[in-house]
Amino acid sequence: MLEVSTRKVRGFTAKMADEIRFIRSWAENPLTTGAVSPSGPDLTRRMAAYIEAERPGQVLEIGPGTGVVTHSILERGIGPERVIALEYNDNFCRLLRRRYPDMQVVEGDAYRLRETLADVPAGSLASIVSSMPLFSRPKEERRSLLFQAFELLQPGAPFIQFSYAMVAPIALEPGVFTVERSGWILKNLPPARVWVYRKTV
């Protein structure tokens, strides 16, 4: 019983530490962090559920922060050696490398995705999961990020993005790509939903 209680205390302490890291990062640069606290488990599991685990190839996570979505990706059955985590914040990069030593962590700018991940072959990724604060950037930059992602993804593979907004973070272009949205995930604070983009083959 004492061991279980100790684990709960450690888990609570780690969660509080992550909350503090997020608040500090958001206060220092709200445009790159985009959220005051990490995403909740209902949202992270919903995002990971859209990953096509049966596809061969690596899974790219953009903007992993402290790794809450990463945890759900690994729970989905994706081995850490298959995951590339692209993070802009150097403090989060160091944290991710400690927590997930078998995962490739890349420090860089997702809005220059093809340059940042120049060693990733075009058309090789099985899925991309993004926690980027897209609405903090102009729509042209959001669209550019999506099309750079499509270059890296296998045909028909998903680009998975969450948002707190009522509208799609990247507007639909019929005949160019499709977009699917989840219902509202009300247990997340604030409520969010997941948008899944696929290039039209």
Side-chain angles (χ1 to χ4, degrees):
M1 183 67 71
L2 179 61
E3 183 180 344
V4 172
S5 298
T6 302
R7 282 203 303 269
K8 285 183 178 178
V9 169
R10 286 176 181 163
F12 177 78
T13 303
K15 184 176 179 182
M16 287 302 296
D18 282 353
E19 296 277 355
I20 292 167
R21 287 187 186 98
F22 249 87
I23 291 168
R24 183 181 298 132
S25 178
W26 178 83
E28 290 172 355
N29 198 336
L31 293 183
T32 58
T33 302
V36 180
S37 63
S39 300
D42 291 272
L43 174 57
T44 64
R45 284 194 289 266
R46 184 72 63 87
M47 293 175 74
Y50 285 104
I51 294 172
E52 298 187 350
E54 69 282 359
R55 280 184 182 265
Q58 292 181 294
V59 172
L60 172 64
E61 183 184 3
I62 303 175
T66 58
V68 292
V69 178
T70 312
H71 180 74
S72 290
I73 291 172
L74 300 179
E75 281 192 330
R76 177 83 169 83
I78 309 297
E81 70 284 350
R82 286 186 63 191
V83 180
I84 304 170
L86 174 58
E87 173 56 52
Y88 187 80
N89 184 302
D90 60 344
N91 291 321
F92 288 159
C93 284
R94 287 194 292 272
L95 178 67
L96 290 165
R97 290 185 182 112
R98 287 199 307 272
R99 287 186 173 171
Y100 306 105
D102 297 325
M103 183 176 72
Q104 182 183 354
V105 178
V106 178
E107 184 178 342
D109 184 357
Y111 288 97
R112 302 170 69 180
L113 193 61
R114 295 300 286 120
E115 180 181 337
T116 304
L117 298 179
D119 58 336
V120 176
S124 67
L125 296 180
S127 299
I128 295 178
V129 181
S130 170
S131 298
M132 295 288 288
L134 294 186
F135 281 104
S136 68
R137 305 298 278 262
K139 62 182 180 181
E140 294 81 9
E141 290 187 31
R142 290 179 246 157
R143 184 180 184 276
S144 173
L145 169 61
L146 179 63
F147 277 80
Q148 290 179 75
F150 284 152
E151 287 183 37
L152 292 174
L153 285 164
Q154 297 169 24
F159 177 88
I160 303 155
Q161 172 72 47
F162 88 89
S163 172
Y164 304 122
M166 297 285 291
V167 298
I170 303 161
L172 174 65
E173 296 181 26
V176 180
F177 58 81
T178 63
V179 60
E180 169 190 358
R181 69 183 181 191
S182 74
W184 286 103
I185 300 157
L186 298 176
K187 289 184 179 180
N188 195 74
L189 292 176
R193 55 186 171 184
V194 181
W195 303 79
V196 182
Y197 292 84
R198 299 176 194 273
K199 188 175 181 183
T200 302
V201 179

